[in-house]
Amino acid sequence: MGITVKVMENGRMVLPVAIRRQLGLEKGGTLILEESDHAVTLRTLEQTLDKVRATFAQYADLPGTSVDDFLANRRADSGE
């Protein structure tokens, strides 16, 4: 689905109310803008955090990546 918005002379644009409601955006809300090859993606802060969490979740179960493993390695390195 494509929605047309106009970019004003000062670079501002208005997101339609339906989109703001769908995303739960209120006055003063924060969006993260990501630029890629020929596109711009707008995400809410929560959507961005979910994306980061999903990225890191894939590494959570790798051997040696737990906090306990990290602390054990630090102790071994320091000779404790």
mmCIF file of all heavy atoms in Angstrom, residues 3-37:
data_model
loop_
_atom_site.group_PDB
_atom_site.id
_atom_site.type_symbol
_atom_site.label_atom_id
_atom_site.label_comp_id
_atom_site.label_asym_id
_atom_site.label_seq_id
_atom_site.Cartn_x
_atom_site.Cartn_y
_atom_site.Cartn_z
ATOM 1 N N ILE A 3 1.133 5.444 0.193
ATOM 2 C CA ILE A 3 0.463 6.676 0.591
ATOM 3 C C ILE A 3 1.349 7.817 0.145
ATOM 4 O O ILE A 3 2.557 7.803 0.370
ATOM 5 C CB ILE A 3 0.253 6.730 2.119
ATOM 6 C CG1 ILE A 3 -0.680 5.614 2.549
ATOM 7 C CG2 ILE A 3 -0.287 8.083 2.537
ATOM 8 C CD1 ILE A 3 -0.846 5.487 4.035
ATOM 9 N N THR A 4 0.760 8.808 -0.480
ATOM 10 C CA THR A 4 1.510 9.962 -0.953
ATOM 11 C C THR A 4 1.512 11.053 0.109
ATOM 12 O O THR A 4 0.456 11.394 0.643
ATOM 13 C CB THR A 4 0.890 10.513 -2.247
ATOM 14 O OG1 THR A 4 0.903 9.473 -3.226
ATOM 15 C CG2 THR A 4 1.669 11.700 -2.769
ATOM 16 N N VAL A 5 2.688 11.543 0.437
ATOM 17 C CA VAL A 5 2.816 12.692 1.328
ATOM 18 C C VAL A 5 3.705 13.706 0.626
ATOM 19 O O VAL A 5 4.548 13.350 -0.195
ATOM 20 C CB VAL A 5 3.415 12.330 2.713
ATOM 21 C CG1 VAL A 5 2.491 11.395 3.466
ATOM 22 C CG2 VAL A 5 4.786 11.729 2.587
ATOM 23 N N LYS A 6 3.498 14.950 0.931
ATOM 24 C CA LYS A 6 4.296 16.013 0.313
ATOM 25 C C LYS A 6 5.385 16.458 1.281
ATOM 26 O O LYS A 6 5.155 16.548 2.479
ATOM 27 C CB LYS A 6 3.413 17.194 -0.045
ATOM 28 C CG LYS A 6 2.395 16.840 -1.106
ATOM 29 C CD LYS A 6 1.944 18.069 -1.839
ATOM 30 C CE LYS A 6 0.885 17.662 -2.834
ATOM 31 N NZ LYS A 6 1.284 17.806 -4.172
ATOM 32 N N VAL A 7 6.560 16.721 0.721
ATOM 33 C CA VAL A 7 7.662 17.261 1.504
ATOM 34 C C VAL A 7 7.650 18.772 1.287
ATOM 35 O O VAL A 7 7.714 19.248 0.152
ATOM 36 C CB VAL A 7 9.014 16.655 1.061
ATOM 37 C CG1 VAL A 7 10.151 17.261 1.858
ATOM 38 C CG2 VAL A 7 8.989 15.134 1.204
ATOM 39 N N MET A 8 7.534 19.511 2.381
ATOM 40 C CA MET A 8 7.472 20.969 2.307
ATOM 41 C C MET A 8 8.866 21.543 2.028
ATOM 42 O O MET A 8 9.865 20.844 2.076
ATOM 43 C CB MET A 8 6.937 21.540 3.625
ATOM 44 C CG MET A 8 5.640 20.925 4.086
ATOM 45 S SD MET A 8 4.350 21.175 2.869
ATOM 46 C CE MET A 8 3.048 20.212 3.585
ATOM 47 N N GLU A 9 8.918 22.839 1.775
ATOM 48 C CA GLU A 9 10.183 23.500 1.472
ATOM 49 C C GLU A 9 11.206 23.319 2.592
ATOM 50 O O GLU A 9 12.397 23.213 2.345
ATOM 51 C CB GLU A 9 9.956 24.993 1.229
ATOM 52 C CG GLU A 9 9.329 25.293 -0.112
ATOM 53 C CD GLU A 9 9.196 26.792 -0.349
ATOM 54 O OE1 GLU A 9 10.023 27.569 0.167
ATOM 55 O OE2 GLU A 9 8.265 27.178 -1.066
ATOM 56 N N ASN A 10 10.745 23.286 3.839
ATOM 57 C CA ASN A 10 11.659 23.164 4.970
ATOM 58 C C ASN A 10 11.996 21.704 5.292
ATOM 59 O O ASN A 10 12.640 21.418 6.285
ATOM 60 C CB ASN A 10 11.081 23.863 6.202
ATOM 61 C CG ASN A 10 9.752 23.275 6.635
ATOM 62 O OD1 ASN A 10 9.286 22.286 6.077
ATOM 63 N ND2 ASN A 10 9.139 23.888 7.628
ATOM 64 N N GLY A 11 11.529 20.764 4.446
ATOM 65 C CA GLY A 11 11.841 19.352 4.635
ATOM 66 C C GLY A 11 10.828 18.600 5.478
ATOM 67 O O GLY A 11 10.939 17.393 5.656
ATOM 68 N N ARG A 12 9.843 19.282 5.998
ATOM 69 C CA ARG A 12 8.833 18.617 6.816
ATOM 70 C C ARG A 12 7.807 17.909 5.956
ATOM 71 O O ARG A 12 7.536 18.303 4.832
ATOM 72 C CB ARG A 12 8.108 19.640 7.697
ATOM 73 C CG ARG A 12 8.993 20.236 8.729
ATOM 74 C CD ARG A 12 8.215 21.183 9.591
ATOM 75 N NE ARG A 12 9.126 21.804 10.543
ATOM 76 C CZ ARG A 12 8.731 22.430 11.619
ATOM 77 N NH1 ARG A 12 7.453 22.556 11.891
ATOM 78 N NH2 ARG A 12 9.619 22.962 12.430
ATOM 79 N N MET A 13 7.254 16.848 6.531
ATOM 80 C CA MET A 13 6.141 16.161 5.891
ATOM 81 C C MET A 13 5.163 15.752 6.981
ATOM 82 O O MET A 13 5.531 15.659 8.152
ATOM 83 C CB MET A 13 6.618 14.952 5.097
ATOM 84 C CG MET A 13 7.267 13.885 5.888
ATOM 85 S SD MET A 13 7.805 12.564 4.795
ATOM 86 C CE MET A 13 8.501 11.464 5.987
ATOM 87 N N VAL A 14 3.949 15.526 6.591
ATOM 88 C CA VAL A 14 2.915 15.169 7.550
ATOM 89 C C VAL A 14 2.521 13.722 7.323
ATOM 90 O O VAL A 14 2.160 13.337 6.208
ATOM 91 C CB VAL A 14 1.685 16.093 7.393
ATOM 92 C CG1 VAL A 14 0.573 15.650 8.320
ATOM 93 C CG2 VAL A 14 2.076 17.540 7.654
ATOM 94 N N LEU A 15 2.595 12.920 8.394
ATOM 95 C CA LEU A 15 2.116 11.546 8.306
ATOM 96 C C LEU A 15 0.602 11.566 8.490
ATOM 97 O O LEU A 15 0.099 12.198 9.423
ATOM 98 C CB LEU A 15 2.743 10.683 9.409
ATOM 99 C CG LEU A 15 4.234 10.438 9.302
ATOM 100 C CD1 LEU A 15 4.725 9.664 10.520
ATOM 101 C CD2 LEU A 15 4.576 9.685 8.044
ATOM 102 N N PRO A 16 -0.118 10.870 7.644
ATOM 103 C CA PRO A 16 -1.569 10.852 7.776
ATOM 104 C C PRO A 16 -2.002 10.321 9.148
ATOM 105 O O PRO A 16 -1.336 9.478 9.743
ATOM 106 C CB PRO A 16 -2.019 9.905 6.660
ATOM 107 C CG PRO A 16 -0.893 9.921 5.674
ATOM 108 C CD PRO A 16 0.344 10.115 6.490
ATOM 109 N N VAL A 17 -3.120 10.837 9.628
ATOM 110 C CA VAL A 17 -3.611 10.485 10.961
ATOM 111 C C VAL A 17 -3.812 8.974 11.103
ATOM 112 O O VAL A 17 -3.552 8.407 12.165
ATOM 113 C CB VAL A 17 -4.886 11.282 11.316
ATOM 114 C CG1 VAL A 17 -6.060 10.867 10.438
ATOM 115 C CG2 VAL A 17 -5.220 11.126 12.786
ATOM 116 N N ALA A 18 -4.268 8.307 10.052
ATOM 117 C CA ALA A 18 -4.483 6.854 10.136
ATOM 118 C C ALA A 18 -3.179 6.119 10.428
ATOM 119 O O ALA A 18 -3.151 5.163 11.221
ATOM 120 C CB ALA A 18 -5.108 6.338 8.841
ATOM 121 N N ILE A 19 -2.098 6.563 9.831
ATOM 122 C CA ILE A 19 -0.789 5.943 10.065
ATOM 123 C C ILE A 19 -0.325 6.233 11.486
ATOM 124 O O ILE A 19 0.177 5.350 12.182
ATOM 125 C CB ILE A 19 0.256 6.460 9.042
ATOM 126 C CG1 ILE A 19 -0.157 6.098 7.613
ATOM 127 C CG2 ILE A 19 1.650 5.950 9.366
ATOM 128 C CD1 ILE A 19 -0.155 4.620 7.319
ATOM 129 N N ARG A 20 -0.483 7.487 11.918
ATOM 130 C CA ARG A 20 -0.076 7.839 13.287
ATOM 131 C C ARG A 20 -0.842 7.023 14.308
ATOM 132 O O ARG A 20 -0.266 6.534 15.285
ATOM 133 C CB ARG A 20 -0.264 9.340 13.517
ATOM 134 C CG ARG A 20 0.661 10.193 12.672
ATOM 135 C CD ARG A 20 0.719 11.643 13.131
ATOM 136 N NE ARG A 20 -0.564 12.260 13.377
ATOM 137 C CZ ARG A 20 -1.251 12.982 12.486
ATOM 138 N NH1 ARG A 20 -0.769 13.157 11.271
ATOM 139 N NH2 ARG A 20 -2.402 13.539 12.825
ATOM 140 N N ARG A 21 -2.114 6.852 14.086
ATOM 141 C CA ARG A 21 -2.926 6.045 15.031
ATOM 142 C C ARG A 21 -2.494 4.592 15.018
ATOM 143 O O ARG A 21 -2.383 3.960 16.056
ATOM 144 C CB ARG A 21 -4.403 6.171 14.676
ATOM 145 C CG ARG A 21 -4.993 7.481 15.089
ATOM 146 C CD ARG A 21 -6.470 7.540 14.804
ATOM 147 N NE ARG A 21 -7.007 8.837 15.174
ATOM 148 C CZ ARG A 21 -8.018 9.421 14.588
ATOM 149 N NH1 ARG A 21 -8.650 8.810 13.577
ATOM 150 N NH2 ARG A 21 -8.442 10.612 14.979
ATOM 151 N N GLN A 22 -2.269 4.053 13.826
ATOM 152 C CA GLN A 22 -1.865 2.649 13.698
ATOM 153 C C GLN A 22 -0.552 2.385 14.429
ATOM 154 O O GLN A 22 -0.375 1.343 15.050
ATOM 155 C CB GLN A 22 -1.730 2.285 12.220
ATOM 156 C CG GLN A 22 -1.346 0.842 11.970
ATOM 157 C CD GLN A 22 -1.235 0.543 10.482
ATOM 158 O OE1 GLN A 22 -1.515 1.382 9.619
ATOM 159 N NE2 GLN A 22 -0.814 -0.660 10.171
ATOM 160 N N LEU A 23 0.357 3.349 14.376
ATOM 161 C CA LEU A 23 1.660 3.187 15.021
ATOM 162 C C LEU A 23 1.670 3.660 16.472
ATOM 163 O O LEU A 23 2.666 3.529 17.163
ATOM 164 C CB LEU A 23 2.736 3.952 14.228
ATOM 165 C CG LEU A 23 3.005 3.443 12.820
ATOM 166 C CD1 LEU A 23 3.979 4.366 12.100
ATOM 167 C CD2 LEU A 23 3.529 2.024 12.848
ATOM 168 N N GLY A 24 0.569 4.229 16.915
ATOM 169 C CA GLY A 24 0.504 4.719 18.289
ATOM 170 C C GLY A 24 1.336 5.971 18.500
ATOM 171 O O GLY A 24 1.816 6.215 19.608
ATOM 172 N N LEU A 25 1.512 6.761 17.455
ATOM 173 C CA LEU A 25 2.319 7.975 17.563
ATOM 174 C C LEU A 25 1.482 9.119 18.107
ATOM 175 O O LEU A 25 0.346 9.318 17.690
ATOM 176 C CB LEU A 25 2.872 8.373 16.200
ATOM 177 C CG LEU A 25 3.902 7.435 15.600
ATOM 178 C CD1 LEU A 25 4.232 7.875 14.189
ATOM 179 C CD2 LEU A 25 5.144 7.387 16.452
ATOM 180 N N GLU A 26 2.069 9.837 19.010
ATOM 181 C CA GLU A 26 1.430 11.018 19.555
ATOM 182 C C GLU A 26 2.320 12.215 19.276
ATOM 183 O O GLU A 26 3.467 12.064 18.856
ATOM 184 C CB GLU A 26 1.226 10.848 21.066
ATOM 185 C CG GLU A 26 0.310 9.696 21.421
ATOM 186 C CD GLU A 26 0.131 9.524 22.914
ATOM 187 O OE1 GLU A 26 0.589 10.394 23.675
ATOM 188 O OE2 GLU A 26 -0.463 8.519 23.309
ATOM 189 N N LYS A 27 1.799 13.399 19.514
ATOM 190 C CA LYS A 27 2.577 14.611 19.304
ATOM 191 C C LYS A 27 3.897 14.494 20.071
ATOM 192 O O LYS A 27 3.909 14.144 21.248
ATOM 193 C CB LYS A 27 1.794 15.826 19.792
ATOM 194 C CG LYS A 27 2.494 17.128 19.556
ATOM 195 C CD LYS A 27 1.640 18.297 20.013
ATOM 196 C CE LYS A 27 2.362 19.595 19.772
ATOM 197 N NZ LYS A 27 1.573 20.732 20.220
ATOM 198 N N GLY A 28 4.982 14.740 19.399
ATOM 199 C CA GLY A 28 6.294 14.648 20.025
ATOM 200 C C GLY A 28 6.875 13.245 20.021
ATOM 201 O O GLY A 28 7.940 13.019 20.577
ATOM 202 N N GLY A 29 6.171 12.281 19.404
ATOM 203 C CA GLY A 29 6.673 10.912 19.353
ATOM 204 C C GLY A 29 7.959 10.818 18.550
ATOM 205 O O GLY A 29 8.292 11.718 17.772
ATOM 206 N N THR A 30 8.672 9.728 18.732
ATOM 207 C CA THR A 30 9.963 9.539 18.070
ATOM 208 C C THR A 30 9.869 8.450 17.011
ATOM 209 O O THR A 30 9.318 7.379 17.265
ATOM 210 C CB THR A 30 11.044 9.149 19.096
ATOM 211 O OG1 THR A 30 11.151 10.188 20.057
ATOM 212 C CG2 THR A 30 12.388 8.934 18.424
ATOM 213 N N LEU A 31 10.412 8.747 15.850
ATOM 214 C CA LEU A 31 10.554 7.771 14.781
ATOM 215 C C LEU A 31 12.033 7.637 14.446
ATOM 216 O O LEU A 31 12.794 8.595 14.534
ATOM 217 C CB LEU A 31 9.803 8.206 13.521
ATOM 218 C CG LEU A 31 8.289 8.177 13.571
ATOM 219 C CD1 LEU A 31 7.713 8.784 12.295
ATOM 220 C CD2 LEU A 31 7.784 6.759 13.744
ATOM 221 N N ILE A 32 12.421 6.445 14.060
ATOM 222 C CA ILE A 32 13.784 6.189 13.612
ATOM 223 C C ILE A 32 13.735 6.082 12.091
ATOM 224 O O ILE A 32 12.952 5.321 11.537
ATOM 225 C CB ILE A 32 14.338 4.870 14.208
ATOM 226 C CG1 ILE A 32 14.197 4.834 15.724
ATOM 227 C CG2 ILE A 32 15.774 4.635 13.761
ATOM 228 C CD1 ILE A 32 14.952 5.904 16.465
ATOM 229 N N LEU A 33 14.565 6.847 11.421
ATOM 230 C CA LEU A 33 14.622 6.848 9.969
ATOM 231 C C LEU A 33 15.835 6.040 9.538
ATOM 232 O O LEU A 33 16.948 6.296 9.987
ATOM 233 C CB LEU A 33 14.748 8.294 9.458
ATOM 234 C CG LEU A 33 14.689 8.486 7.958
ATOM 235 C CD1 LEU A 33 13.938 9.768 7.644
ATOM 236 C CD2 LEU A 33 16.068 8.518 7.361
ATOM 237 N N GLU A 34 15.606 5.031 8.704
ATOM 238 C CA GLU A 34 16.694 4.216 8.173
ATOM 239 C C GLU A 34 16.752 4.414 6.667
ATOM 240 O O GLU A 34 15.749 4.275 5.978
ATOM 241 C CB GLU A 34 16.472 2.740 8.482
ATOM 242 C CG GLU A 34 16.559 2.406 9.952
ATOM 243 C CD GLU A 34 16.326 0.933 10.217
ATOM 244 O OE1 GLU A 34 16.279 0.133 9.256
ATOM 245 O OE2 GLU A 34 16.163 0.580 11.389
ATOM 246 N N GLU A 35 17.920 4.745 6.197
ATOM 247 C CA GLU A 35 18.128 4.942 4.765
ATOM 248 C C GLU A 35 18.800 3.701 4.196
ATOM 249 O O GLU A 35 19.758 3.175 4.764
ATOM 250 C CB GLU A 35 19.021 6.169 4.554
ATOM 251 C CG GLU A 35 19.335 6.441 3.118
ATOM 252 C CD GLU A 35 20.364 7.548 2.957
ATOM 253 O OE1 GLU A 35 20.886 8.063 3.962
ATOM 254 O OE2 GLU A 35 20.662 7.880 1.809
ATOM 255 N N SER A 36 18.285 3.223 3.073
ATOM 256 C CA SER A 36 18.939 2.128 2.363
ATOM 257 C C SER A 36 19.109 2.554 0.913
ATOM 258 O O SER A 36 18.877 3.713 0.587
ATOM 259 C CB SER A 36 18.130 0.835 2.492
ATOM 260 O OG SER A 36 16.820 1.020 2.026
ATOM 261 N N ASP A 37 19.477 1.649 0.040
ATOM 262 C CA ASP A 37 19.862 2.001 -1.333
ATOM 263 C C ASP A 37 18.976 3.068 -1.975
ATOM 264 O O ASP A 37 19.445 4.108 -2.355
ATOM 265 C CB ASP A 37 19.912 0.752 -2.207
ATOM 266 C CG ASP A 37 21.090 -0.134 -1.845
ATOM 267 O OD1 ASP A 37 22.064 0.395 -1.259
ATOM 268 O OD2 ASP A 37 21.044 -1.335 -2.126
#
